[in-house]
Amino acid sequence: MTLLIDGDHLAFTAACAVEQVVEWDINVWTTHSFLSDATKVVETKLKGFIDIAEDKNVVMTFSSYPTFRHEIFTEYKINRIDKRHPLGLGNVIEEVKNNYESVSYPNLEGDDVLGLLSTNNKYDNPVIVSVDKDMKTIPGLLLAGDTLELITRTQADKNFMAMTIAGDATDGVPGIKGLGMVSATKILESAKDLPSMWDLVVKTYDKKGNGISDAILNARLVRILREGDYDYDTGEVKLWNPTF
């Protein structure tokens, strides 16, 4: 197996975990952290992943901003602009990149890199390691907690179409107002393949007063790239289209 790990999330959580707040007096507070502490957090988490998967082959993935999503939808992740990053995040990322095999591609988020590496047959028995629900839209093995889960292609496509309906509030992807993942999953329950799923998506958008262009935009925003969706030479993304 090869563990394909969401390096963005791993570095972020490690940097957050080691921040320390000091109250010098009633009027003075400071926050500091030590890179060595963050590195230990990374190593501990990695050991946990390796113990579960019983394999030491590790590849980290990282984002390269801005991404193609920012180009096709200016409000993408705009709700995160004013949020503070944990101290030393950039240094933690560099430390991880220096110590482990790491991959990033122009215009892509780390999640897209995970999707590509897990579907392009470059690695033997790839396992995606991520807590992000978006990764359930990629067929293959997923480690999101304490156990390995096999996501079939049908399950991955259904999760992809469900997110097309529900959107993703954390990333500013609108979807259809009032419909979450539970409702979206029920709508798609009877569908057996991607064309029939897409037909239900379009009907749902139409019923709620939205057009097919809205459905396509949302699909493009929530789709985690798979092999064939990206040109490694030019850095161009083949935007998803409902052609079956």
Side-chain angles (χ1 to χ4, degrees):
M1 289 182 177
T2 301
L3 301 180
L4 306 176
I5 298 175
D6 183 347
D8 290 323
H9 183 265
L10 180 60
F12 188 92
T13 54
C16 285
V18 300
E19 282 192 343
Q20 301 180 43
V21 179
V22 178
E23 181 183 2
W24 297 98
D25 63 43
I26 195 171
N27 295 311
V28 181
W29 296 69
T30 62
T31 302
H32 71 274
S33 59
F34 294 98
L35 180 58
S36 57
D37 290 343
T39 301
K40 290 177 183 177
V41 172
V42 170
E43 292 173 350
T44 299
K45 287 184 175 293
L46 275 180
K47 185 180 184 303
F49 301 149
I50 291 170
D51 288 345
I52 294 172
E54 298 182 346
D55 203 298
K56 295 182 178 180
N57 295 318
V58 169
V59 178
M60 301 287 183
T61 68
F62 290 95
S63 299
S64 178
Y65 290 102
T67 72
F68 74 95
R69 293 183 181 85
H70 295 88
E71 295 175 3
I72 65 174
F73 188 59
T74 57
E75 295 183 22
Y76 183 68
K77 288 190 175 180
I78 197 170
N79 55 332
R80 300 191 186 187
I81 290 179
D82 295 329
K83 291 186 177 180
R84 180 180 74 84
H85 286 168
L87 294 176
L89 176 59
N91 298 89
V92 178
I93 290 174
E94 286 305 310
E95 188 74 6
V96 172
K97 287 182 176 180
N98 289 335
N99 288 291
Y100 303 95
E101 180 182 349
S102 300
V103 181
S104 62
Y105 295 128
N107 303 321
L108 301 187
E109 294 179 65
D111 287 355
D112 297 305
V113 182
L114 286 173
L116 292 171
L117 296 184
S118 68
T119 56
N120 66 7
N121 297 317
K122 181 178 181 180
Y123 299 99
D124 294 330
N125 300 319
V127 178
I128 292 177
V129 181
S130 174
V131 296
D132 196 329
K133 65 182 183 302
D134 298 359
M135 303 318 300
K136 290 192 174 184
T137 66
I138 297 296
L141 287 171
L142 174 66
L143 178 58
D146 296 329
T147 57
L148 289 170
E149 179 181 1
L150 176 62
I151 309 294
T152 67
R153 180 168 294 275
T154 299
Q155 289 173 326
D157 288 341
K158 190 164 287 190
N159 289 330
F160 165 42
M161 288 289 99
M163 289 193 68
T164 299
I165 292 174
D168 188 344
T170 59
D171 290 341
V173 180
I176 299 176
K177 187 176 181 179
L179 294 180
M181 284 297 290
V182 173
S183 299
T185 301
K186 288 182 179 179
I187 290 170
L188 299 168
E189 194 170 22
S190 62
K192 302 300 182 183
D193 54 26
L194 188 55
S196 59
M197 295 174 202
W198 176 247
D199 182 56
L200 289 171
V201 169
V202 173
K203 289 179 178 177
T204 303
Y205 267 82
D206 182 62
K207 183 179 179 180
K208 296 294 183 179
N210 303 100
I212 189 171
S213 61
D214 295 316
I216 293 175
L217 174 60
N218 277 274
R220 290 173 172 176
L221 290 171
V222 301
R223 180 173 176 81
I224 303 301
L225 302 188
R226 307 178 191 180
E227 183 62 14
D229 292 339
Y230 183 73
D231 189 316
Y232 298 96
D233 295 322
T234 65
E236 293 182 2
V237 173
K238 181 181 178 182
L239 296 174
W240 188 83
N241 276 306
T243 54
F244 307 110

